[in-house]
Amino acid sequence: MDLNTITEVIRRPSERPGMDWHQGDAWLAGGTWLYSTEQPDLRRLIDLTALRWEPLVPTHQGLEISATCTIRDLYAFSWPEDWTAGILFRKSCEAFLSSFKVWNAATVGGNICMSLPAGPMITLTVALEARYELWAPDGSVRFVDAVDFVTGDHRNVLAPGEILRRVVIPEHALRKRTAHRRFTLTRLGRSTVFLVGTQRPGANDLLLTVTAGTTRPVRIAFDSLPDVRALRQSIDDVPADVWFADPNGTPDHRRHLTRYFAEEICRELTAGDLA
């Protein structure tokens, strides 16, 4: 879609692009959502791709993913063999309601900052206990846990002019065993629910991440694998207004699916089957 209110595009932003932020500006990375609908309040686009941030940087502490890393690059990433949770990179990319053409442009940061319930990069990073590095217009930097970033449907903690710079995934999370479940009404449709369970190597714990069925990510921790009753109770304790409603499912339907798939995840991890 043509954005006919735009009067300027900053093709060569400064290394700290937020310092030049003005009301009516928008960050441009993949632009897959930005160009999909009218943006009457925007006057200027700031092209972040010109900064050439390294997409994926493995370190001794884990993995850094730049906000401008494309879905294509993430899907093609060859993770170390001992990062058993690495399979979630591809499974989360495959959860996109988009074609491979969109993968070439869509970015990890764009999907996170859209903050939609079915955002698979949100699912991935919350499940892997990531932290987000945020840059403010005044030059300050802060880190936010991924689970706390999205606050509701299309809502997050970003202040005006603040930018997501990178996602930092700790190594201990990348070494976890995983199991996941996802439900859609059609084969290539939007996620109705997307659940991920992770477990430390040699342990009996469970970290359950619930997304798509809720307006914000929900993470439930157990020191040991729960029985069915305790698991269902933890899901039923999720506040009623957190469950999401749209044409892909009612809150009751999504709660039911979450109970069902959470039990499957527990059984899989109990049996020792890797996702």
Side-chain angles (χ1 to χ4, degrees):
M1 174 176 288
D2 291 334
L3 301 182
N4 56 20
T5 62
I6 300 299
T7 59
E8 185 180 7
V9 178
I10 306 299
R11 295 291 187 185
R12 298 181 184 275
S14 66
E15 289 298 318
R16 287 279 182 171
M19 304 290 283
D20 299 322
W21 176 267
H22 302 292
Q23 189 69 31
D25 288 354
W27 306 118
L28 174 62
T32 53
W33 176 80
L34 197 61
Y35 285 101
S36 71
T37 186
E38 295 180 359
Q39 308 287 352
D41 298 328
L42 297 186
R43 299 294 178 268
R44 191 170 70 154
L45 301 179
I46 303 174
D47 185 4
L48 298 180
T49 61
L51 295 173
R52 305 289 183 187
W53 291 333
E54 190 68 27
L56 296 143
V57 182
T59 70
H60 293 301
Q61 289 76 42
L63 177 67
E64 296 179 359
I65 307 174
S66 79
T68 53
C69 174
T70 65
I71 305 308
R72 177 197 60 193
D73 286 342
L74 182 62
Y75 189 80
F77 176 59
S78 296
W79 60 88
E81 187 175 339
D82 58 351
W83 286 6
T84 49
I87 189 63
L88 292 177
F89 297 144
R90 291 184 179 172
K91 294 300 180 182
S92 298
C93 291
E94 291 167 355
F96 267 91
L97 179 60
S98 62
S99 71
F100 71 91
K101 294 180 181 179
V102 174
W103 284 19
N104 291 333
T107 62
V108 172
N111 187 251
I112 291 171
C113 292
M114 275 294 296
S115 301
L116 299 177
M121 296 297 99
I122 299 168
T123 308
L124 171 69
T125 54
V126 171
L128 294 183
E129 304 165 54
R131 302 183 75 205
Y132 300 157
E133 181 181 334
L134 308 181
W135 288 2
D138 64 4
S140 62
V141 176
R142 64 172 174 142
F143 286 86
V144 174
D145 288 339
V147 71
D148 298 323
F149 180 80
V150 177
T151 58
D153 179 16
H154 204 36
R155 300 199 308 272
N156 58 48
V157 301
L158 284 173
E162 201 167 28
I163 184 173
L164 171 60
R165 168 60 182 88
R166 63 168 59 88
V167 175
V168 181
I169 300 176
E171 185 189 32
H172 74 85
L174 291 163
R175 293 178 179 271
K176 285 189 170 186
R177 300 172 58 234
T178 69
H180 67 276
R181 294 294 186 275
R182 176 172 169 258
F183 178 86
T184 62
L185 291 178
T186 60
R187 179 172 172 269
L188 299 177
R190 187 181 300 276
S191 300
T192 299
V193 295
F194 192 177
L195 282 72
V196 176
T198 64
Q199 187 180 69
R200 291 175 297 157
N204 192 41
D205 62 324
L206 171 65
L207 190 65
L208 180 67
T209 298
V210 179
T211 60
T214 51
T215 56
R216 57 173 173 79
V218 173
R219 202 164 65 190
I220 306 169
F222 299 92
D223 292 332
S224 60
L225 286 171
D227 58 26
V228 171
R229 182 175 181 179
L231 184 62
R232 289 187 176 184
Q233 185 59 55
S234 69
I235 293 167
D236 289 343
D237 287 342
V238 175
D241 60 355
V242 173
W243 294 100
F244 188 47
D246 74 352
N248 294 289
T250 65
D252 285 343
H253 177 55
R254 287 179 148 115
R255 187 186 297 109
H256 168 75
L257 290 173
T258 299
R259 291 194 200 108
Y260 178 80
F261 287 132
E263 291 174 29
E264 284 198 344
I265 285 172
C266 279
R267 286 196 295 269
E268 182 173 327
L269 291 173
T270 298
D273 295 330
L274 294 181

